Amino acid sequence: ELLQTARAAAVLSHPNIAALFEIGQDGPHRYLAFEFAPGELLSAKIGGHRLDVRRALDFAVQLADAVAEAERHGIGHGDIRPETIVITPTDRPKLLHFGLSGFADGASRGATAAAAKLH
């Protein structure tokens, strides 16, 4: 199921989704290599404070477009929350580990740059 989901996620190409570049195995360990998404996690960016309404709506529209694109491919994210969204230096939200959160062991900010350890 993991490899099937990863292969499906690898076809996603959207400016608000961190791309999955490689699916591989190193000995007994499988890995996924995602696009590095520079920026700050949304959870850190808001830090318990409200976002400006216009900015929040802009983020919501961009993220909804990303989710709609994935749904067209039959893929759901499964774990959208402030810890799975990076706000890039150009102020664009980017969804991390799309569709694969349930498989990653401790998937975090670092998983966007390299490989997430998988079950």
Side-chain angles (χ1 to χ4, degrees):
E1 185 179 335
L2 165 68
L3 293 179
Q4 181 181 2
T5 303
R7 285 186 190 106
V11 303
L12 294 176
S13 178
H14 191 279
N16 299 104
I17 297 174
L20 173 58
F21 292 129
E22 185 177 349
I23 305 159
Q25 188 160 348
D26 182 24
H29 304 286
R30 289 180 258 167
Y31 66 88
L32 304 172
F34 288 91
E35 165 190 7
F36 175 70
E40 188 175 13
L41 289 176
L42 179 59
S43 58
K45 189 119 181 122
I46 58 178
H49 300 95
R50 294 182 186 172
L51 285 177
D52 171 76
V53 173
R54 287 179 193 238
R55 190 173 186 206
L57 286 172
D58 182 47
F59 288 171
V61 167
Q62 291 179 61
L63 293 170
D65 188 55
V67 170
E69 176 63 20
E71 289 292 330
R72 280 192 280 279
H73 292 277
I75 302 167
H77 188 280
D79 191 27
I80 297 175
R81 55 192 167 93
E83 292 78 18
T84 62
I85 300 168
V86 166
I87 305 303
T88 68
T90 58
D91 213 33
R92 294 183 66 88
K94 198 170 266 261
L95 287 166
L96 307 178
H97 35 85
F98 208 99
L100 299 160
S101 295
F103 295 104
D105 180 17
S108 65
R109 177 74 185 95
T112 62
K117 182 179 176 184
L118 304 172
H119 301 295

